[in-house]
Amino acid sequence: MAVTIKDVAKKAGVSPSTVSRVLSNHPRISEETSRKVKLIMDQLGYHPNIMAKSLVSKTTNSICILLPKSAEELFSNFFFMELIRGIVTQASRLGYDVLISSGANEKEEVESVSRLLNGRRVDGVILLYSRQNDPVIEFLHKGGHPFVLIGRSEEYPDILTVDNDNIQASYDATKHLIALGHERIGFVSGPPELVVSKDRLKGYQDALRDAGLESRPEWIVEGEFLQDSGYRAMSFFMNLPNRPTALVMIDDVVAFGVLRGLHELKYKVPEDLCLVSFNNIPLSELSTPPLSSMDIGIYNLGYTASQVLIQAVQNNDDDKAYPKRQIIPHRLMVRESSMYSVPKKP
């Protein structure tokens, strides 16, 4: 027979309402009473009825992560794994469970999120990336649902976001290569519909412009956040008659594809081509050679997004309870792939 609140209350010598307050972390319950009641719960093997608690509190103590629609991209990129680790860690500390949802296309993503929210299975949603004209953001915003975007929205600047200053970060990465004497610098971008691709491309172009350097269309290649994109980009660049001497790449996994292709063609890094990428995943310093990469605090992005969303849920979306936009700082980790200065012209 299942243990009830009344059983716990009788054993602890308190009222059932006190046990309920302990379960909801009520501020009026003393730490001593809370410890005592929780000890009895453990001894009796009591587990609260989450569905009943949800009906009373009108919350589920659960949040949803909406995954990118490309499973290949997700599971081959450490960025998303580290992001999710940060989200789950903070959610768990705050007593929240995490559900994961996805869809094969934008329509399915909206339907999936709608079922979870309208079915009272989650209290809010974290979006792992920002697209232009995103129907999921439109649905969540118009419906008044609590959600946090990891990234930046051009259409909805007033929503809760956790992001990096991607324009400045890309500017800094490009400036690092310019300081080494490089004048022909290429850029390997991500999907053009993603805001992060747009912002990092702008930072790259701004740095070239401010240095008085040329930005050529053929030195910019778009792709996906996959090794194959880097491999194809490398093949394209190295066949140009006036090829770049350095590359800024939007993601470490893309950079691994570039390194693989260069190795196959017997080119040396950084002597033949200097490389700087983004995200600073653990494998970046284990590659051959170790990869210079912009550390954007991936874990902190996820951790902060989780914290902000749960604050929004608990404060009933009170606009004054927290800032709308959180910026995680970036830092360039300089390694062997960009430790090469271009010889000065005589």
Side-chain angles (χ1 to χ4, degrees):
M1 185 175 178
V3 179
T4 66
I5 280 183
K6 290 182 179 179
D7 296 327
V8 174
K10 183 177 179 180
K11 178 78 172 176
V14 298
S15 67
S17 61
T18 297
V19 177
S20 295
R21 291 191 180 100
V22 169
L23 288 169
S24 62
N25 296 314
H26 196 284
R28 287 192 171 184
I29 299 297
S30 69
E31 189 175 336
E32 181 182 354
T33 299
S34 179
R35 279 200 305 265
K36 178 182 177 182
V37 170
K38 288 178 180 178
L39 178 62
I40 298 301
M41 289 179 184
D42 289 340
Q43 290 175 351
L44 296 179
Y46 172 76
H47 299 284
N49 187 322
I50 299 300
M51 291 184 66
K53 183 181 177 184
S54 175
L55 289 172
V56 174
S57 66
K58 296 183 180 180
T59 61
T60 66
N61 277 50
S62 298
I63 59 174
C64 167
I65 298 173
L66 183 64
L67 299 182
K69 57 189 176 185
S70 170
E72 180 186 5
E73 180 180 312
L74 174 70
F75 293 111
S76 64
N77 197 319
F78 284 92
F79 170 81
F80 291 110
M81 297 296 98
E82 186 69 356
L83 204 59
I84 292 171
R85 187 173 76 88
I87 293 170
V88 171
T89 298
Q90 177 63 340
S92 178
R93 287 176 179 172
L94 296 175
Y96 277 69
D97 295 322
V98 178
L99 276 69
I100 292 179
S101 179
S102 65
N105 51 53
E106 293 174 346
K107 182 174 181 292
E108 287 188 9
E109 288 176 353
V110 172
E111 291 173 350
S112 176
V113 168
S114 176
R115 283 195 304 271
L116 291 172
L117 288 166
N118 294 326
R120 303 297 306 161
R121 295 175 61 190
V122 298
D123 297 323
V125 180
I126 295 177
L127 307 179
L128 298 191
Y129 57 97
S130 174
R131 297 177 296 214
Q132 298 181 67
N133 303 310
D134 193 335
V136 179
I137 294 178
E138 182 181 8
F139 164 77
L140 292 169
H141 187 263
K142 288 185 176 179
H145 301 292
F147 74 100
V148 172
L149 170 67
I150 297 179
R152 180 181 67 84
S153 173
E154 296 180 318
E155 294 82 15
Y156 299 97
D158 59 329
I159 65 174
L160 290 173
T161 60
V162 178
D163 197 11
N164 307 107
D165 186 341
N166 282 298
I167 295 175
Q168 185 63 50
S170 188
Y171 186 101
D172 293 344
T174 309
K175 189 175 178 181
H176 164 68
L177 293 172
I178 294 170
L180 293 172
H182 292 280
E183 298 181 352
R184 304 197 307 272
I185 302 172
F187 187 79
V188 184
S189 187
E193 70 272 14
L194 296 187
V195 176
V196 66
S197 300
K198 181 178 179 180
D199 285 352
R200 290 180 183 172
L201 176 60
K202 183 179 188 310
Y204 155 81
Q205 292 174 325
D206 287 351
L208 293 181
R209 182 201 63 224
D210 290 351
L213 297 178
E214 189 177 14
S215 174
R216 293 190 178 186
E218 66 268 26
W219 290 349
I220 300 171
V221 175
E222 294 175 350
E224 302 292 331
F225 290 89
L226 300 169
Q227 271 201 51
D228 283 349
S229 285
Y231 187 87
R232 288 192 297 270
M234 181 281 311
S235 299
F236 172 79
F237 283 130
M238 302 313 282
N239 282 309
L240 290 175
N242 189 28
R243 66 173 179 82
T245 61
L247 293 181
V248 177
M249 294 154 293
I250 197 164
D251 182 89
D252 288 339
V253 172
V254 174
F256 296 155
V258 171
L259 283 171
R260 177 165 59 92
L262 290 170
H263 176 74
E264 289 178 4
L265 293 176
K266 310 299 183 185
Y267 284 108
K268 293 182 179 180
V269 176
E271 293 85 354
D272 294 317
L273 192 67
C274 272
L275 304 177
V276 176
S277 67
F278 273 82
N279 296 346
N280 193 38
I281 64 175
L283 289 177
S284 62
E285 61 180 324
L286 301 177
S287 64
T288 305
L291 188 63
S292 293
S293 186
M294 187 65 71
D295 191 323
I296 60 170
I298 305 172
Y299 177 87
N300 286 336
L301 281 168
Y303 189 96
T304 305
S306 188
Q307 181 174 338
V308 168
L309 177 59
I310 292 169
Q311 285 177 343
V313 169
Q314 294 177 341
N315 288 285
N316 296 315
D317 207 22
D318 178 5
D319 286 349
K320 297 180 181 179
Y322 36 78
K324 286 288 187 181
R325 184 164 169 79
Q326 301 268 359
I327 297 295
I328 305 301
H330 62 269
R331 180 173 61 135
L332 180 61
M333 309 301 293
V334 178
R335 301 189 179 101
E336 188 180 334
S337 73
S338 69
M339 288 183 178
Y340 183 79
S341 298
V342 177
K344 293 184 179 180
K345 297 176 183 178

